[in-house]
Amino acid sequence: MSTFQRLSNLDAVPASLRGAYIAIGNFDGFHRGHQMVLSALKARADAAGVPAMVLTFEPHPRDVFAPAPFMFRLTEGDSKARLAEAFGVDAVTILKFDRDFSQIEAEDFVARFLIDALGVTGVIVGSDFHFGRQRRGTPAFLKAAGDANGFAVETLDLMDEGDEVISSSRIRAALSEGAVSAANRLLGYHWFFDGCVVKGDQRGRELGYPTANTMTHASFQLAQGVYAVRAKVAGRLLDGVAAFGKPMFNNQRPPFETHLFDFDEDIYGQTISVALIGHIRGQEVFSGLDELITAMDRDSRKARELISTARPIGALDSKLGFIG
């Protein structure tokens, strides 16, 4: 296949995707463990001469059953689709997950989606994958269903690094501590997120550091501090320094504030994608604005230094285009 396809349901699957080999999972973060699954997916699909598809779900099931969204999401639907395309699979299907969906019996999930809608050639999942009402669909259940219905099923163990497996929760914990390098290493690319640029309090402009501000969710648990960043906006790739948290001002639900070097254009209402290159420092309270500006000057120099030495972590990182 030459054109990446993104589906939001499986009601009318294009003929070109029938018989696909698929990988199923939440894939929050699209980290190196997920990439191991997708490398196997591509190899099996290529050997069988069929498309390779990712089947995933939005929102995350844990958020559906919580009183309010609470999970620090690494990659939501648009980001997962971007990562899947960059990784080189042929298609991604992002199914809406809600309480009704959660009540689909495991047998019905297999019959409705895997057999009737997709006519899958094979399925690959991680060893921690479960599906269907009350999570009855285990990897063993899926293997038995595949044997009975003529499609292959492969279960892959989780990937280890150090004394722990690579997991989305481990990466969330790293980002919540400001450990950007560790998080990026586990991801296999520089972590990024998207946001719409909104008007802030204009204080940065008054200090000589105008910022592109994006609002954050209550569940956005990145450590408050200052970061070296690369941003994509208006079709351009720009270097910058960003701050999350406003300890000297109103620090309730602060925006993520990105100062783009050598850039001063009106981009309100546009989408900005921000990749974290490195952590510079935690948030500090200064004695006055002069001391704050001095710190901002120092942060900018450090950000430029970190960005100048940044290199792609791997092929996926290169294809995402934040790091040349």
Side-chain angles (χ1 to χ4, degrees), residues 195-272:
C196 178
V197 179
V198 299
K199 280 198 173 184
D201 55 21
Q202 307 293 301
R203 188 173 285 110
R205 183 171 295 278
E206 294 171 2
L207 299 176
Y209 281 90
T211 56
N213 298 343
T214 57
M215 299 310 298
T216 58
H217 297 292
S219 57
F220 189 78
Q221 295 171 9
L222 178 69
Q224 293 197 5
V226 179
Y227 298 87
V229 300
R230 269 269 175 86
K232 291 182 180 180
V233 61
R236 281 172 285 181
L237 184 63
L238 301 163
D239 299 343
V241 61
F244 179 53
K246 300 165 76 81
M248 294 180 65
F249 307 102
N250 178 11
N251 203 29
Q252 298 296 315
R253 290 285 303 279
F256 191 91
E257 301 176 283
T258 303
H259 171 67
L260 301 169
F261 299 141
D262 310 312
F263 182 86
D264 188 16
E265 298 178 19
D266 184 346
I267 54 173
Y268 293 126
Q270 296 189 43
T271 297
I272 185 171

Side-chain angles (χ1 to χ4, degrees), residues 7 31 140 168 193 198 211 242 296 307:
L7 307 181
H31 55 62
S168 302
F193 63 93
V198 299
T211 56
M296 294 165 70
I307 295 166

